[in-house]
Structure formats: structure tokens, C-alpha cells
Amino acid sequence: MTARPDIGFVVEDLAEARASLVAALESAFPGIEVFAFADLAGARAWIAAALGPQRRAIGLIDLALPDGSGIDLIRLLAGGYPATLTVVTTIFDDDGHLFDALGAGAQGYLLKDVDLGRLGTYLRRIEQGEPPLSPSIARRMLNHFRAAAPRPEIVPPEIVPDDANLTRREVDVLQLIGRGLRVAEAADVLGLTEHTVAGYVKTIYRKLHVSSRAEAALEAARRGLV
């Protein structure tokens, strides 16, 4: 629902919080008629008597209520009142409460740890089609779905057959050259003398028909050695 709601209701057991949420709705949608309830029983009775299925309404619903969970009320509204936008207003910022509420049909999730002005700002964004979400909740949702997304398959580099008849030691030297090591550094890694490695380099150049370290490095990459 992105249209401006013309009626609202708050289900919150704490009187001070209830008054603040009513004020937030009235601030976000001037002229809106707002009803308030301290428990599920009161909210259910009012919904059955006064809220038609097509009435553009918004409900701010706490999760921990004296006579049950607000999730049950969200599920009721999602099933029979498609024009009603349900927004959780709670202190719970954990995955369990968040995804249970979304699974029941909640279309927004706001934490009550913000001031009235900011809460009104989040609610006003509904008219622009933005779901009312506290920033930390939006990040939690993104992280959840990012973690659940399948990781891209890592494709190993194609190994080019050794058509140059390089010896095992020559391959070792070519691999180190491909990684940017100089002759002295390669000699140190392999435990050989610099003179010996230089000899391997000359042989590699001849077998691969290259004449520089850069070309040798490219060959090493092409052969999947780096």
C-alpha cells in the first residue's frame, strides 16, 4: 500500500509509548483518525466492528502484549484486510522477531528507540512507496539475504598443457617469475644459487620463445601458474 492512509490504530501496552505512537501517526498524516489499544483483545474487537477489508489503514503494532504476540494480529490483518499496512513498533531488533513478523505479513519494522520526529519521518515515506524500516533493521535484512545468497562458483584458471617440455624445476622458476620475483629472490625461495636460477631462466626463455621477464610472466599466467 502506498496511498495515504485515512485511519490508523496503535496497539501498545505502555501508556507513554502508546501516546507517542499516536502522536507520530497524527504528525505523519495530518487529519488522520487514530485509535489506540493496550492489548490484542481490544484491537481485535475494534477491527471486527469497524475496520473494513478495503479501508486504507495503518496499524502500529507492538510484539510483546499482555494477552499475546502482536504477530498474531499482523497475521489476521494480512489475511483479511489487504488494504491495511501493518508496521511493527518494538524494542526487539533480533532476527527471530524481525523475520517472524515479516513472515506473518508485516510491511514495516520500526524500533522505538528513536525520537518522535524521526519516527514521523519514517512513516511519511510510506506515501513515496518506501517501507518504514529503521536503518539498523534494513541493514540486518540486507546482511541476512546477502549471507543466504549462493556464492559464485570459483572457476580455476585454465591450465595450458606444457608443450614446451619444461622440467619441474623450470616450472618452479617460471611460476616465481610470474609472481614478480627477480632472479635473486627466486634463488632464495628455491634454495639455489643466483647463477643456477639465471641458467634456468635462459632455458625457459628459449623453450617458450620469449625474450623478457614480462613475456615470461605472461606465459606463466597463460599456463595457470599464477
Side-chain angles (χ1 to χ4, degrees):
M1 184 185 79
T2 58
R4 184 183 188 282
D6 54 27
I7 191 171
F9 59 96
V10 172
V11 188
E12 166 64 58
D13 59 324
L14 300 178
E16 184 177 351
R18 188 164 62 245
S20 293
L21 293 171
V22 169
L25 276 178
E26 292 173 339
S27 171
F29 308 107
I32 190 174
E33 187 178 16
V34 181
F35 297 83
F37 309 95
D39 54 29
L40 290 175
R44 283 196 181 104
W46 176 81
I47 290 168
L51 184 64
Q54 301 307 319
R55 187 78 185 271
R56 292 198 308 273
I58 179 171
L60 305 186
I61 302 171
D62 190 15
L63 294 181
L65 293 161
D67 54 349
S69 171
I71 289 178
D72 293 336
L73 190 62
I74 292 168
R75 191 173 290 113
L76 168 71
L77 291 163
Y81 300 84
T84 295
L85 178 75
T86 54
V87 180
V88 172
T89 47
T90 182
I91 59 172
F92 298 121
D93 66 349
D94 58 283
D95 282 359
H97 285 92
L98 169 61
F99 291 106
D100 282 352
L102 295 179
Q107 294 159 279
Y109 200 103
L110 296 173
L111 299 178
K112 293 187 290 190
D113 59 354
V114 299
D115 58 47
L116 192 61
R118 185 166 299 179
L119 195 60
T121 298
Y122 295 147
L123 292 171
R124 274 190 291 275
R125 291 175 181 169
I126 292 170
E127 293 185 277
Q128 281 75 52
E130 296 183 30
L133 294 171
S134 294
S136 63
I137 293 299
R139 285 193 296 272
R140 185 178 290 279
M141 292 173 65
L142 287 174
N143 290 336
H144 173 83
F145 290 112
R146 185 180 295 125
R151 296 181 180 278
E153 183 181 359
I154 298 175
V155 179
E158 183 181 0
I159 304 297
V160 176
D162 181 14
D163 53 358
N165 294 319
L166 297 177
T167 66
R168 179 65 255 177
R169 183 59 83 188
E170 289 164 351
V171 170
D172 293 339
V173 172
L174 179 61
Q175 188 173 36
L176 294 174
I177 291 174
R179 292 176 180 174
L181 273 65
R182 296 186 176 281
V183 169
E185 295 168 328
D188 186 55
V189 170
L190 296 172
L192 302 173
T193 66
E194 188 173 340
H195 178 75
T196 299
V197 172
Y200 281 125
V201 170
K202 287 183 180 178
T203 303
I204 291 168
Y205 280 15
R206 178 175 53 77
K207 288 185 176 181
L208 296 180
H209 307 289
V210 300
S211 57
S212 69
R213 284 172 47 82
E215 290 176 304
L218 287 175
E219 275 295 319
R222 192 175 72 85
R223 291 164 182 269
L225 299 177
V226 293

